[in-house]
Amino acid sequence: MERTFLAIKPDGVQRGFVGNIISRLESKGFTLVGLKLINVSRELAEQHYAVHKERPFFSSLIEFITSGPVVAMVWEGDGVVASARKMIGATNPLSAEPGTIRGDFGVDVGRNLIHGSDAIETAQNEIALWFKEEELVSWQPTM
Ligand code: CMP
């Protein structure tokens, strides 16, 4: 079954959107299989965002993601990688469609509330980076 990695960033936690974001994904029909609230280390942040290392905003991105608690999650379901990205919306919240998480709640590209894996292979790498195998719970909804 397909899985994706999502992280509610410090702005999403501090502004009180954890419940709303989880509720959207549950309501859509995806299954939560991993969940933890963590203070992200600089090492984890730099590994997670390694692809952006040469970008001018890299250091501010690392400062921000390590500035407060983050809710790290793994969600499961058919097509969950692409579908969650649609539900999150465009990287810049000002360009994100209404009805998406960023479109409904954000205005700042550096504080865009949530990260979602951009492809199945990326999701596999990000899940392995953020979660130990024993932290993931495999279960099937029966209702
Ligand atoms: P995310 O989906 O977590 O992946 C990389 C992040 O870099 C992105 O969300 C944005 O929060 C951030 N980002 C992208 N472009 C900029 C920018 N121009 N200035 C600051 N942060 C940016």
Side-chain angles (χ1 to χ4, degrees):
M1 181 66 84
E2 188 172 314
R3 289 178 171 179
T4 196
F5 171 75
L6 305 182
I8 304 174
K9 300 182 183 183
D11 56 332
V13 175
Q14 287 172 27
R15 293 177 62 203
F17 290 129
V18 172
N20 182 297
I21 290 171
I22 289 177
S23 182
R24 287 177 183 231
L25 289 146
E26 284 183 326
S27 300
K28 176 74 174 168
F30 294 128
T31 304
L32 183 62
V33 298
L35 175 69
K36 59 185 176 182
L37 177 73
I38 60 168
N39 284 311
V40 179
S41 68
R42 179 162 285 270
E43 185 188 4
L44 173 57
E46 287 180 353
Q47 281 181 272
H48 175 75
Y49 282 127
V51 69
H52 298 298
K53 206 169 175 38
E54 304 306 325
R55 302 283 192 95
F57 57 82
F58 182 72
S59 60
S60 63
L61 183 57
I62 298 304
E63 287 303 318
F64 175 59
I65 204 73
T66 58
S67 68
V70 165
V71 174
M73 303 180 285
V74 180
W75 288 86
E76 189 173 272
D78 285 333
V80 68
V81 173
S83 182
R85 290 276 292 188
K86 272 194 193 157
M87 292 171 73
I88 290 169
T91 301
N92 187 339
L94 289 178
S95 309
E97 294 291 329
T100 65
I101 294 165
R102 290 170 176 162
D104 286 349
F105 302 138
V107 291
D108 182 342
V109 70
R111 283 170 172 51
N112 61 0
L113 298 150
I114 181 167
H115 165 85
S117 305
D118 63 5
I120 290 175
E121 196 184 344
T122 320
Q124 290 165 347
N125 293 336
E126 291 178 348
I127 291 167
L129 179 65
W130 287 72
F131 283 87
K132 298 179 185 137
E133 190 56 44
E134 62 267 27
E135 291 177 316
L136 301 175
V137 179
S138 288
W139 65 287
Q140 294 294 321
T142 55
M143 294 169 241

